Amino acid sequence: MNYNTKRLVAALLAVPALLFTAACGSDDGNNGEAAGGVAEIKGKVGAKPEISVPKDGKPSDKTVVKTVSAGSGTPIKGSDFVRLDWTVEKWGGDQELGGTWAAGATGDKAPRRQSIEQIGKPSQQLPEKVLDAVKGKKPGSRILVQGTAGDLIGQSLNTSSGISAKDVLIWVVDPVGAASVDAKGEAKGEQAASEPGMPEVKSPSQKAAVITVPKGEKPPKDLKEQVLIKGDGKKVEAGQGLIAQYTGVKWEDGKKFDSSWDHGGATAFQIGNGSVVAGWDKGLVGKHVGDRVLLVIPPSLGYGASPQSELAKNTLVFTVDILGTV
C-alpha cells in the first residue's frame, strides 16, 4: 500500500503510470533503420542527466531504446524489484515533465525519493514500455527511451495534459538497484506472543494475517512496535526500497483495510523519506530482513495529516514481514 503516492506526471496519464526517456549510447537493436534524430544525454550516472536535442532536427520516427551507460552485476530479470531514478522531457520542450531528481520531500537530509517498482507489474510512475526497457540491463546503467506519447503511453494518455499522441517524449531511466524476492515469501521462525496491551496476531501461511485488537483497550497515543519474528538479514536503511508482506486493520473496529496478500503478494515501498506513513518510516528503518514486525500507529503518524483520507482518524495496526531491500 503506497501511502503517499507520487503524482509527478500524473496529469499526462488517464490512469496512474508515467512517461519515458531518451538518450544516446549503444544501440539496443530496435532502431537500426530509424530515420530522424535521437536525444543526446550528458552527465554521469548518479547525477541528473542533461537532455539535448538537435536544433531544428526531427526526432526518430520509431521508438528508440538505448543503453547510454552500462552498469555491472546481474542483469535485471522480468520479476525483479528495482529502485529507479528517472526524468522525462518533451522533444523540443526543454522542460522536465517529471522525475525523481528533486530534493528529498522531508528535508535536505532525507534520502531523495525514487521509484520502487516490480518489473512486469503495473506502475504508478512509469509506462509499461518504459519500465520494460530496464529488463536485461544491469544496475548502474543509464537507459534512453524515446518515442511518441501514443506509442509509449497508449490509451492511458491523458490528452487534457497538453501532450498529444504525436508528441515525442524522452525518458532517461537509471536502475540504481535490483533484488529477486519471492512474491509469496513470508517471515520464517517461531512467532513470539504479543506483549500486554498489543493486538494478537495469527499468521496463516500464504494468507492475510488475522489481527485481534484487545477489547476495551484505548488506542495508544504513541507509536508501538514489537518484533514478532527476529530475522538475521541486513538492516533496513532509509532510502532503500522495502520489500514486504503486510496486513493492516483499524484499531477501532478490527476490520482489515488492506493486505499485500490481496494484491498478489509482496509489495515494495521506499522507506525513511516520507514516501509512506511516518509510522512505517519510524517503525521499520533499522529493522532487519526476515523480521516480522507488529506496528500500532496513531493517526498523527498515519493518515491524520490527510483529512480527506477515510483512515485519517483511525489508529492503524500492521504486521509487516520484511522480505528484502533494494
Side-chain angles (χ1 to χ4, degrees):
M1 183 176 72
N2 195 337
Y3 306 103
N4 190 10
T5 302
K6 294 172 287 184
R7 300 186 182 277
L8 296 171
V9 291
L12 290 170
L13 309 169
V15 296
L18 293 187
L19 296 177
F20 31 74
T21 56
C24 63
S26 60
D27 185 354
D28 286 350
N30 69 335
N31 67 314
E33 301 300 325
V38 178
E40 181 180 4
I41 308 304
K42 295 181 179 180
K44 295 182 179 180
V45 175
K48 185 177 179 178
E50 298 177 11
I51 302 173
S52 60
V53 300
K55 290 185 178 180
D56 302 322
K58 290 183 60 179
S60 169
D61 58 4
K62 294 184 179 180
T63 293
V64 177
V65 178
K66 285 192 173 185
T67 301
V68 180
S69 179
S72 60
T74 304
I76 297 168
K77 297 186 289 297
S79 60
D80 279 0
F81 292 88
V82 294
R83 180 158 54 95
L84 305 167
D85 276 313
W86 58 270
T87 187
V88 57
E89 293 184 8
K90 175 184 171 182
W91 180 283
D94 195 28
Q95 180 180 3
E96 186 179 31
L97 299 176
T100 62
W101 291 103
T106 57
D108 293 339
K109 294 183 179 180
R112 183 166 41 80
R113 289 192 182 183
Q114 297 169 306
S115 291
I116 312 297
E117 309 289 352
Q118 186 177 13
I119 305 299
K121 293 291 185 68
S123 167
Q124 292 183 324
Q125 295 295 304
L126 300 166
E128 180 181 354
K129 288 188 177 181
V130 176
L131 183 57
D132 194 57
V134 173
K135 187 168 58 179
K137 309 299 190 297
K138 297 178 180 179
S141 297
R142 172 160 284 175
I143 304 154
L144 154 72
V145 185
Q146 174 181 309
T148 65
D151 181 46
L152 291 175
I153 301 179
Q155 294 181 352
S156 296
L157 176 64
N158 180 4
T159 55
S160 66
S161 66
I163 298 294
S164 74
K166 294 182 178 180
D167 284 327
V168 171
L169 295 171
I170 304 165
W171 291 83
V172 183
V173 183
D174 297 359
V176 177
S180 296
V181 173
D182 182 5
K184 300 297 183 182
E186 51 197 350
K188 301 295 184 181
E190 185 176 352
Q191 180 174 301
S194 297
E195 296 171 352
M198 292 287 277
E200 294 184 0
V201 178
K202 294 182 180 179
S203 304
S205 181
Q206 305 294 299
K207 294 181 180 180
V210 178
I211 302 172
T212 304
V213 177
K215 291 183 178 179
E217 290 278 351
K218 292 183 178 181
K221 295 182 179 180
D222 299 317
L223 175 70
K224 299 295 182 182
E225 55 183 271
Q226 181 186 351
V227 177
L228 298 176
I229 295 177
K230 188 171 179 56
D232 57 5
K234 293 182 178 180
K235 182 180 292 187
V236 176
E237 298 179 5
Q240 290 182 324
L242 177 78
I243 307 168
Q245 303 283 12
Y246 68 89
T247 298
V249 306
K250 294 177 286 184
W251 179 286
E252 289 73 14
D253 58 14
K255 291 183 178 180
K256 181 183 71 173
F257 60 85
D258 197 13
S259 176
S260 58
W261 293 107
D262 297 336
H263 309 295
T267 309
F269 317 96
Q270 196 174 19
I271 196 78
N273 66 350
S275 295
V276 293
V277 292
W280 272 49
D281 281 345
K282 292 178 179 293
L284 297 177
V285 171
K287 297 300 190 292
H288 293 80
V289 173
D291 285 354
R292 173 172 291 159
V293 185
L294 173 62
L295 297 174
V296 181
I297 303 174
S300 61
L301 298 177
Y303 290 106
S306 302
Q308 72 279 8
S309 171
E310 61 183 17
L311 298 173
K313 296 181 180 181
N314 290 113
T315 295
L316 311 178
V317 183
F318 286 98
T319 59
V320 183
D321 287 10
I322 302 175
L323 304 182
T325 57
V326 59

